[in-house]
Amino acid sequence: MKTIGRAIIGVAVLGGLVAGCVSHPGPKSRSQVVQMAPSCEDFSVQIYFESRSAQLTNEARSVLKGADALATGCKVASVRVVGLADAVGAPDANLALSKQRADVVTRALDKMGYSNVTLDVGAAGDAGAMTNDGENRPLRRQADIRFDLDGRLR
């Protein structure tokens, strides 16, 4: 008897779900889809690199595309790019690597259409990559990118 009761309840629930789907078929045209206006608030993203590398990975390119999508429809006042490095190796080499990382990101942004935006580019090398106890901080193989937005495009 319990099995028959459960089966009846299951059929009733399934019928309700199907009926709910049928009664709300979804938008019939593109104009029926409501799109959110861009928030145009400042934001930051991080691009990570392989160890001792300044080449953009596929994931890094995806992050840049996502950042570009967030800025779409907004006036971009400026973009700040800071290259960083781990505290492994010589400080001069780490500074050079962090400069290369910042330059690579800047070139990618130029190709994406940010060539007419004020770009502030810097490199920190391995500065700040160690704790007060002298231990290396992991995941400093990155570039930090800050998008400063100034409202919606008119």
Side-chain angles (χ1 to χ4, degrees), residues 14-26:
L14 182 60
L17 290 174
V18 171
C21 292
V22 172
S23 64
H24 301 290

Side-chain angles (χ1 to χ4, degrees), residues 37-118:
S39 68
C40 297
E41 293 181 20
D42 299 349
F43 66 94
S44 297
V45 296
Q46 288 77 35
I47 301 294
Y48 292 94
F49 295 87
E50 295 294 327
S51 181
R52 299 182 189 143
S53 173
Q55 291 185 333
L56 290 178
T57 63
N58 289 335
E59 291 83 7
R61 286 185 179 86
S62 293
V63 170
L64 286 175
K65 287 178 186 175
D68 184 44
L70 283 175
T72 298
C74 304
K75 181 181 178 190
V76 180
S78 65
V79 179
R80 173 138 173 86
V81 180
V82 178
L84 303 168
D86 291 332
V88 177
D92 289 345
N94 290 335
L95 182 59
L97 180 59
S98 68
K99 286 179 183 177
Q100 291 171 353
R101 289 174 175 167
D103 290 342
V104 163
V105 170
T106 302
R107 285 194 301 274
L109 289 169
D110 282 346
K111 287 180 183 178
M112 295 173 74
Y114 291 88
S115 57
N116 59 344
V117 173
T118 301

Side-chain angles (χ1 to χ4, degrees), residues 14-36:
L14 182 60
L17 290 174
V18 171
C21 292
V22 172
S23 64
H24 301 290
K28 293 181 181 179
S29 69
R30 184 178 176 101
S31 64
Q32 290 178 327
V33 177
V34 177
Q35 294 186 356
M36 299 278 297

